[in-house]
Amino acid sequence: MQRSRIAVAAAVVAAAGAAVAFTLPSMAGTAPSAGKAASAKSDVAPQILAAMARDLGVDSDQAAARLKRSAWASGVSAKLRAQTGADFGGAWLATDGTTLKIAVTDSGSVAAVKQAGAVPVLVKRSEQALVSAKEKLDAADAGKRITGWYVDVATNKVVVVATPGAADAARQWATNAGVKSDAVTVKTSSARPKTLADIRGADAYFIAVDGGTARCSVGFSVEGGFVTAGHCGAVGDKTFANAQGTAQGTVAASVFPGNADMGFVKVGAGFTPRAVVNDFEGNELPVAGSTEAPVGAAICRSGSTTGTRCGSILAKNQTVVYPEGQVTGLTRTNVCAEGGDSGGPWLSGDQAQGVTSGGSGDCTVGGETFFQPVNEILATDNLTLVTQEGSGAGGGEATDSAESAGDCTDQQVARTGDIQAGAAQAQPNGGAFRANAGRQTACLDAPAGADFDLALQRLTDRGFRTVAEATGNGDKTLSANVRSGTYRYVVVASAGAGAYTLGFSAP
């Protein structure tokens, strides 16, 4: 039998009489030179560069340079986030798309930011403090006049979006939720989250629901199937490859509303997930990984209604209030979208970023669009992204090893300590650090003959909880695919004592 292929973000399918129930929620080191684009340009599909040139008002060389700069900024931001720990206040690319700014709460971290080639910004609140403030809002009843809120690292505040005339009520709501007034900015917008009909931003697939047939879109291929928006089917729903009812797979995971808009469809035999995105002009754009782009970076999405469109990342970790309930953890952009684009993939160059959740406006007058970060889906559902190189990104259980850890200083961050038998130490420096979703790695160089264990812990509403650990005699390595959040490593001297070196890296 000829094998069908799941081409990520594919063509428009017209299905007369289809009752569409799943809809687009609507709401309004040494830094590389930003001017040198040759190496970046050769690695990026020309269709992406052309779309960026059209939508961002730059030429193809400048578009390639922005992508190269964004990739560099992602690495620098991740390193400094781990290195500065609780002092980290956020990272973003300025409006020029090339200047990386890193906020820190301690002047002692300024030198490290400058050494990395970024511009330091001293701020009052750490990123974790801002996230904690936002989580207080997440737990409060917003009512109908508040449509969303998010952390704005550039202003070092939490932004609350309210309908016109509701600014004072929004401020009072934030105060009642326990957020200090000087940490909140209120913006008003007449746009409201709502649903639009006929939603497919990628290869169409069909779901029988409410006596009709709903259509949604493939996001990105993963081993065993594809990811998409969570509002595109409940767990156990059967999916079909076409309107004629060719069996395709089953919804194996779905979250919407709540802390995500994410779904995973497990496909049956005969369907081969492919690492491509359709630009709706007869081309297939490559997917090579899922390195998360920073705030301010250029980004493009593909959708069945409006094709490939580009813009910039405006904010991360936004909560959006939909009629079905609020959804947290979305990324806000100024890319336009229309009905029919929901569920489609987002790319930064050849790096997968997320799947469309909702938007406002259209591609005539412009608007905003939100997407669900793909790394959160991979980490939550233990999935592996299918990439052009044939190797996956994300997924996999946490692993540990008692093999030789090698040189721990080759990680992003290296910390040393001295510990007595039976004691434990938290790193970095007794504190914690924020990390994006993705794979964290660590190695522990322990004293000869000692039994030092290593644990990776995530901060929850019940305190720190271990998400991965490496135990046994000898040096340790640890690798875990985790969600975004606040983390720390804990070194435990189960037997023996002495000096150790811990190296770790985070996305």
Side-chain angles (χ1 to χ4, degrees), residues 327-476:
V327 177
T328 63
L330 302 180
T331 297
R332 174 170 161 257
T333 78
N334 60 5
V335 184
C336 71
E338 297 179 7
D341 290 329
S342 182
W346 291 71
L347 289 167
S348 178
D350 59 7
Q351 298 297 303
Q353 299 297 307
V355 297
T356 300
S357 176
S360 69
D362 56 41
C363 288
T364 299
V365 300
E368 290 184 344
T369 307
F370 306 96
F371 69 81
Q372 165 66 49
V374 70
N375 281 338
E376 291 284 354
I377 310 177
L378 300 177
T380 300
D381 295 324
N382 191 28
L383 302 172
T384 299
L385 183 71
V386 177
T387 63
Q388 282 281 302
E389 289 75 14
S391 60
E397 296 288 348
T399 60
D400 59 81
S401 171
E403 303 291 334
S404 173
D407 183 6
C408 288
T409 59
D410 63 359
Q411 300 276 350
Q412 287 177 346
V413 179
R415 290 291 184 268
T416 59
D418 196 296
I419 191 170
Q420 298 299 313
Q425 289 183 352
Q427 294 286 4
N429 305 327
F433 62 96
R434 290 284 302 177
N436 294 325
R439 186 163 296 281
Q440 293 195 36
T441 61
C443 64
L444 177 66
D445 185 0
D451 179 6
F452 280 18
D453 297 330
L454 178 63
L456 173 63
Q457 297 184 332
R458 184 178 189 270
L459 181 62
T460 71
D461 56 2
R462 294 171 293 173
F464 280 97
R465 293 291 185 268
T466 297
V467 296
E469 60 183 348
T471 61
N473 295 324
D475 296 336
K476 308 292 190 308

Side-chain angles (χ1 to χ4, degrees), residues 13 28 56 68 80 91 93 111 122 138 165 169 181 215 226 313 333 358 375 404 406 448:
V13 175
L56 299 177
K68 182 178 181 181
L80 288 171
L93 283 167
L122 276 173
D138 289 342
S181 59
R215 294 181 292 177
F226 60 86
I313 296 175
T333 78
N375 281 338
S404 173

Side-chain angles (χ1 to χ4, degrees), residues 82-168:
Q83 185 173 341
T84 58
D87 296 329
F88 188 79
W92 67 98
L93 283 167
T95 54
D96 61 6
T98 61
T99 302
L100 176 62
K101 296 187 177 182
I102 303 287
V104 291
T105 59
D106 184 359
S107 59
S109 299
V110 167
V113 175
K114 290 182 176 178
Q115 185 177 7
V119 176
V121 180
L122 276 173
V123 295
K124 179 179 180 179
R125 288 168 284 270
S126 68
E127 184 181 47
Q128 179 54 39
L130 292 172
V131 170
S132 296
K134 178 186 173 293
E135 288 173 345
K136 292 180 179 179
L137 301 182
D138 289 342
D141 182 5
K144 296 182 178 180
R145 304 185 70 186
I146 298 172
T147 57
W149 49 94
Y150 59 93
V151 169
D152 184 11
V153 292
T155 63
N156 198 231
K157 293 186 177 184
V158 176
V159 176
V160 177
V161 184
T163 57
D168 290 342

Side-chain angles (χ1 to χ4, degrees), residues 22-28 146-148 161 189-197 199 231 256 261 318-325 327 330 336-340 342 356-362 366-370:
F22 302 112
T23 55
L24 173 68
S26 170
M27 186 178 178
I146 298 172
T147 57
V161 184
S189 171
S190 58
R192 277 184 173 273
K194 62 180 181 180
T195 57
L196 301 176
I199 301 311
H231 62 263
F256 178 84
D261 185 4
Q318 172 149 357
T319 297
V320 179
V321 181
Y322 296 129
E324 300 86 349
V327 177
L330 302 180
C336 71
E338 297 179 7
S342 182
T356 300
S357 176
S360 69
D362 56 41
E368 290 184 344
T369 307
F370 306 96

